[in-house]
Amino acid sequence: MNKPKRIAFFGSDQIAIPVLNSLVSQPQSLEICGILTQPDRRSGRGNKFQSNPIKQWALQSDIPVHDPQKPGMEEVCWLKELGVDMVLIMAYGHILREELLKVPSFGCYNLHASLLPMYRGASPIETALAMGEQKTGVTLMQVVPRMDAGPVVDAEIVPIEESDLGATLRNKIADACVPLVARNLSSILDGSVRVQAQSESEATYCRKLAKSDGRLDFNLTARELVLRNRAFAGWPGSYFEYENTILRVGRMVEIQSDTLLCGQRNDSMGDALVIGTKEGAIEIMELQKPGGKMLPASDFLRGFVIPQKVNFSSPNDSPALIR
């Protein structure tokens, strides 16, 4: 009987749990022999050290874990001792050194949450949604010492629905990793896999999101603001400032308007909050003040007065999401 192939996994994000569960369900042919992940971070109430979801999964599954600040020669030696045949990576967060990439006999492969070469980088799911794409997906690629630039093995397409938020789209992509890996794993592990180079001329890059990306920029179009509101619903959320108070925004919708200036409130709709943008307007359907609950806008405005005639400010410089 052939020995199971030994696979090490590198990653830190919940998005990889479905594919990890699918791999451990095949103990006769595969063995996840080690996990390389990010170290514990302070988070949550009390600011206590907490393990990321991948480390928690590994410990529950009794799989050896290394969690260095940055992988180095110690991890190279560890992987050699494990006798790793293949490395699978998703959302790990480090560009890997060549010595490490050379350890597994069948190579290192990455699951990237976009249809490469578009949306290389740190926030492909949220950025694809914010940019109004109708589809995205996950790409399986060979790893090279450049960010998301390796040759492609295969991809799984995921449609973006009008109802999708960042979190729901993330869940779809997590599930899409399972069939993608399943149909390509045997060719990787028998050495017959074929790859295709990415087109560098078509590559785009998305940056790491910041808390400030949640601030509404009324100099954008209504469509752009609604898309960002959906994409950033989990984090960083959406908000605007009024008299030095940050008001968090829940759901919003795009409406037709050609009379309002950017940031100007429609003063003819007293029980609603409609604000002009570069093109069209948005109606904010839900609002929350600091320490309060998210409420329907009509209820919120009965207790938090905003004048009919007001112009809301926008950030001075909103950085582009892609380059």
Side-chain angles (χ1 to χ4, degrees):
M1 182 175 178
N2 293 331
K3 292 174 60 177
K5 297 294 186 182
R6 295 173 65 81
I7 297 176
F9 177 79
F10 300 177
S12 305
D13 193 283
Q14 177 79 25
I15 196 170
I17 297 296
V19 75
L20 287 172
N21 285 335
S22 72
L23 291 174
V24 296
S25 69
Q26 307 173 57
Q28 291 78 26
S29 57
L30 301 173
E31 176 187 0
I32 299 181
C33 59
I35 299 286
L36 190 60
T37 190
Q38 296 276 0
D40 297 354
R41 310 286 189 197
R42 293 187 183 274
S43 63
R45 291 186 177 181
N47 202 29
K48 296 180 180 179
F49 280 103
Q50 295 188 27
S51 301
N52 65 64
I54 299 301
K55 183 175 180 181
Q56 294 176 28
W57 180 90
L59 294 174
Q60 293 168 3
S61 304
D62 200 26
I63 296 172
V65 178
H66 269 215
D67 58 354
Q69 289 288 346
K70 186 175 182 180
M73 288 307 299
E74 180 178 347
E75 283 64 48
V76 172
C77 295
W78 178 61
L79 292 174
K80 289 180 178 178
E81 291 172 0
L82 290 174
V84 172
D85 294 301
M86 172 192 165
V87 166
L88 183 65
I89 305 165
M90 188 173 196
Y92 179 42
H94 288 292
I95 293 178
L96 302 173
R97 59 198 302 162
E98 288 196 43
E99 295 94 334
L100 193 150
L101 297 179
K102 293 177 180 177
V103 172
S105 51
F106 291 100
C108 298
Y109 293 83
N110 181 60
L111 289 162
H112 182 73
S114 79
L115 298 176
L116 291 170
M118 295 190 67
Y119 301 113
R120 297 176 180 177
S123 57
I125 299 172
E126 296 80 7
T127 303
L129 178 50
M131 295 301 293
E133 299 288 352
Q134 295 184 337
K135 65 180 181 180
T136 183
V138 58
T139 302
L140 180 63
M141 51 171 258
Q142 281 186 336
V143 179
V144 298
R146 281 182 58 215
M147 184 174 60
D148 304 324
V152 170
V153 177
D154 194 5
E156 185 81 7
I157 294 173
V158 174
I160 299 177
E161 309 292 344
E162 281 293 327
S163 59
D164 274 325
L165 305 178
T168 60
L169 187 55
R170 176 172 287 268
N171 290 338
K172 289 181 181 180
I173 287 177
D175 291 339
C177 293
V178 176
L180 176 61
V181 170
R183 69 172 176 261
N184 290 285
L185 196 57
S186 61
S187 65
I188 290 173
L189 292 174
D190 68 15
S192 66
V193 66
R194 295 185 177 184
V195 299
Q196 182 173 348
Q198 294 186 42
S199 171
E200 291 298 319
S201 65
E202 297 177 5
T204 58
Y205 293 84
C206 52
R207 59 178 174 80
K208 184 177 180 180
L209 296 176
K211 186 176 181 179
S212 58
D213 287 311
R215 183 174 178 183
L216 300 183
D217 183 350
F218 301 109
N219 296 306
L220 298 174
T221 68
R223 178 62 175 164
E224 287 173 321
L225 285 173
V226 168
L227 287 169
R228 290 185 182 211
N229 173 252
R230 289 167 51 199
F232 304 158
W235 190 90
S238 299
Y239 67 92
F240 65 97
E241 292 186 14
Y242 172 67
E243 291 190 342
N244 298 317
T245 300
I246 292 178
L247 300 180
R248 295 189 63 82
V249 174
R251 189 170 64 90
M252 67 168 67
V253 296
E254 177 185 2
I255 62 174
Q256 297 297 315
S257 173
D258 56 7
T259 60
L260 296 174
L261 301 176
C262 296
Q264 180 185 14
R265 182 181 182 185
N266 185 329
D267 60 8
S268 66
M269 301 177 67
D271 59 347
L273 187 57
V274 175
I275 304 171
T277 71
K278 178 181 178 181
E279 182 181 313
I282 57 168
E283 180 175 358
I284 294 176
M285 309 302 291
E286 298 172 319
L287 281 165
Q288 178 183 12
K289 65 182 180 181
K293 296 181 179 180
M294 187 68 73
L295 297 172
S298 57
D299 294 344
F300 181 90
L301 293 171
R302 281 196 286 270
F304 189 101
V305 177
I306 297 177
Q308 294 296 316
K309 294 184 181 294
V310 63
N311 282 68
F312 299 103
S313 63
S314 291
N316 292 327
D317 183 21
S318 294
L321 295 176
I322 62 170
R323 60 178 176 86

